[in-house]
Amino acid sequence: MVNYFFAAVELGGTKCKAGVGDGVRIIDEITIPTRSPEETVKILLNFINESKKNLGRIRGLGIASFGPINLNFPSPDFGCIQNSPKERWVGFNLQQAFTILDCPIAIDTDVNSACLSETYFGAGRDSKNVAYVTIGTGIGVGIALDGVVFRGKTHPEIGHISVNQDVYCDPFGGVCPYHGNCLEGLASGPAIFARWGKSLTDLPTEHSGHVLQAGYLAQLVKMLTLSFSPDKIILGGGVMMTPGLIDLVRVKTLEALNGYIAGLLTLEEMLSLIKAPELGDRSGLLGAMLKIKNMTLGEFA
């Protein structure tokens, strides 16, 4: 029996998780459907409080949340969900909701948290600069520079960049309620389903949707490569579970860069740049736990 434990919560568009552990390993966890904020938080808090019976006192809580979220600490709205398509959650204050645990709390986005864990323990280990992308209900990007997750005035929202759309081949208007045909509006899981009534995995391998999706993601990879020059770009999320999609993205990225970047001139070199995640669906939860452990113990953040 340990004297204390760290807890982590991951809030997603379709499911939420809570886990407990020592800061680098998850000992126990639960997964529930995303409901109203009040109902969801109540269930997650109950799980964490029950863990005290076996693990002792809670040392800190890390929260990995879908965005956008206010991460500007001096702001009175710190920890509040902002203009999210998940309307019931807009304005909900995560910091206040979990203060009942009476412990230090660290909040970041789900994709930043996943980026942190993949950088230290997963496909980005031994790399200085890593970009982590999740393509699922939404599209999010986290950037780790010299092992530290990048954050400016707020967190990046790279999933909402504009992309080149050939409206003859793809006349789809997009599903993003704010930008229509931004990257997330065209290439997220809901965008794929809205076009064809199926997930990409369920479409036949010869369906044009596979090449179309790879082309949109290649535009993202090109932008990340030219903007941040990362050692690794990790592509995760439910959409990337589609067989063969990551290989198509490598091919399309090679075409998009068109020989401009030395060291990224062949498919073999693309294999070393564009990677699949190694931590599975635990990356966000593990990253949140790692962040609060390091913040509490004064290590890297």
Side-chain angles (χ1 to χ4, degrees), residues 42-62:
K42 180 179 179 181
I43 296 171
L44 300 178
L45 280 171
N46 285 342
F47 169 79
I48 294 171
N49 281 320
E50 282 294 311
S51 300
K52 294 178 181 178
K53 296 177 181 178
N54 296 320
L55 300 176
R57 68 183 179 89
I58 181 172
R59 185 71 181 269
L61 169 70

Side-chain angles (χ1 to χ4, degrees), residues 2 17 22 44 49 81 89 103 113 118 137 174 212 218 229 254:
V2 298
K17 300 179 182 182
D22 61 6
L44 300 178
N49 281 320
I81 302 293
W89 286 78
C103 67
S113 300
E118 285 286 348
T137 305
L212 182 69
S229 191
L254 189 65

Side-chain angles (χ1 to χ4, degrees), residues 119-120 123-130 144-147 230-232 272:
T119 297
Y120 280 89
R125 61 185 177 277
D126 302 323
S127 296
K128 286 185 65 177
N129 303 316
V130 175
L145 303 175
D146 287 328
D231 302 299
K232 296 285 187 294
S272 70

Side-chain angles (χ1 to χ4, degrees), residues 250 254 263-274:
R250 291 176 179 131
L254 189 65
L264 294 176
L265 304 176
T266 67
L267 274 178
E268 184 177 356
E269 288 167 331
M270 281 295 156
L271 280 167
S272 70
L273 173 69
I274 302 171

